[in-house]
Amino acid sequence: MTEVQSPVGDPLELVPQTSAAEQAVADLLSFDISGPDAQAALDAVPIWFHTFALAPGVYTPGFARDHRYRIPALGPERIAGRRVLDVGTFDGFYAFLAESRGASRVVGVDNEQYVDWIQGRFGIDLAPAAGFDTIHALLKSQVAYEKMDALEVGTLGEKFDLVLCFGMLHRVPDPVGMLRALADVLDPGGEIIVETYGSRRDGSEPVLDVHGPGDVYAGDDFVHWGFPAEGLRRLGAMVGLDAIEVIDEVEIDGHRRIIAALRAAG
């Protein structure tokens, strides 16, 4: 395949193919639409991050890697009847999944930084919330969407029982500030499910890995941190999250990931 060049001459990445693992995750969220409607939705968005199963055999070509390890943290018993905030929602898969699993209220927020990220990494122009809006219409969803930085979620004026923070904590310059902002919108006993870059260090070490621009992905300057379990626990404790449950630590495409529940006192 021919290497594509950016306007300034830097090589761009080819968009990864959708994985069978992501299709398995997509199958958890069902649609009731015709094949032609599914194809029209598929064609309406120039690049997808999340994979959605729009119709039998019709999947959006999302390039997010294997997210099956997130699913045990998202059982109906954790979601049903709860108010859910999805931070960095992008195409909104997990917000829509929470709605389908009985959440009483779901809000997805994103600062839409991904527009520049997609352009810099793949050279594709993507309108903000293009995928989210398309899926929202197909599902006739009640999920609310706000263009907003995670540090500003307090301005929503709402409290939540569950905050989903997937693929975000390693992308912010101030992870303590972000966790504090999310903890401040939790009701007592609420929890934040954090999925982020992990570390190859011993999980008991109270440290963070520090990544420079392009260290993890070429053309991606926004992966700043890697978190061993104890480092993540101590960050949570700094903002009043008094317990951590490490749900899983896995390796995806050569990169360590960690997913954990950080809980506020009841």
Side-chain angles (χ1 to χ4, degrees), residues 17-27 59 65-66 68:
Q17 296 296 308
T18 303
S19 68
E22 283 306 308
Q23 291 180 354
V25 173
D27 287 338
Y59 292 92
R65 295 300 83 192
D66 187 349
R68 286 175 295 182

Side-chain angles (χ1 to χ4, degrees), residues 22-226:
E22 283 306 308
Q23 291 180 354
V25 173
D27 287 338
L28 298 173
L29 181 64
S30 62
F31 290 72
D32 183 20
I33 58 175
S34 68
D37 286 344
Q39 189 62 49
L42 185 68
D43 295 340
V45 180
I47 185 169
W48 293 85
F49 182 67
H50 289 139
T51 303
F52 294 90
L54 299 179
V58 181
Y59 292 92
T60 63
F63 64 87
R65 295 300 83 192
D66 187 349
H67 286 176
R68 286 175 295 182
Y69 65 98
R70 293 176 173 175
I71 299 307
L74 297 171
E77 70 283 353
R78 182 170 246 140
I79 291 174
R82 302 183 87 184
R83 293 157 296 169
V84 178
L85 174 65
D86 183 28
V87 178
T89 195
F90 210 144
D91 291 335
F93 179 83
Y94 293 100
F96 298 125
L97 183 65
E99 182 180 47
S100 76
R101 292 190 164 187
S104 61
R105 162 94 168 145
V106 184
V107 179
V109 302
D110 205 300
N111 66 5
E112 299 174 359
Q113 182 189 71
Y114 60 78
V115 171
D116 292 335
W117 176 62
I118 291 290
Q119 175 56 237
R121 191 169 171 185
F122 303 114
I124 294 173
D125 292 325
L126 178 67
F132 184 98
D133 289 344
T134 297
I135 299 301
H136 192 276
L138 289 177
L139 291 174
K140 299 180 174 60
S141 172
Q142 298 302 307
V143 172
Y145 178 90
E146 296 284 347
K147 179 182 179 180
M148 178 179 292
D149 192 88
L151 296 175
E152 301 170 343
V153 293
T155 65
L156 290 168
E158 296 188 51
K159 293 289 187 179
F160 298 91
D161 307 299
L162 180 65
V163 175
L164 307 180
C165 182
F166 291 166
M168 289 293 297
L169 198 63
H170 55 272
R171 292 190 170 274
V172 296
D174 180 8
V176 175
M178 182 172 183
L179 286 176
R180 179 173 289 113
L182 301 183
D184 285 348
V185 299
L186 281 181
D187 258 347
E191 58 186 351
I192 303 170
I193 307 298
V194 173
E195 183 275 329
T196 188
Y197 270 92
S199 172
R200 298 188 185 281
R201 298 176 185 274
D202 187 300
S204 65
E205 293 188 62
V207 297
L208 305 181
D209 294 342
V210 182
H211 299 298
D215 282 356
V216 178
Y217 297 112
D220 187 344
D221 295 345
F222 301 104
V223 179
H224 304 301
W225 316 102

Side-chain angles (χ1 to χ4, degrees), residues 230-254:
E230 180 61 12
L232 189 57
R233 185 195 71 79
R234 293 199 181 196
L235 292 184
M238 291 172 67
V239 301
L241 300 169
D242 67 345
I244 181 171
E245 173 196 351
V246 176
I247 297 167
D248 207 353
E249 294 184 83
V250 297
E251 187 156 322
I252 304 296
D253 286 355

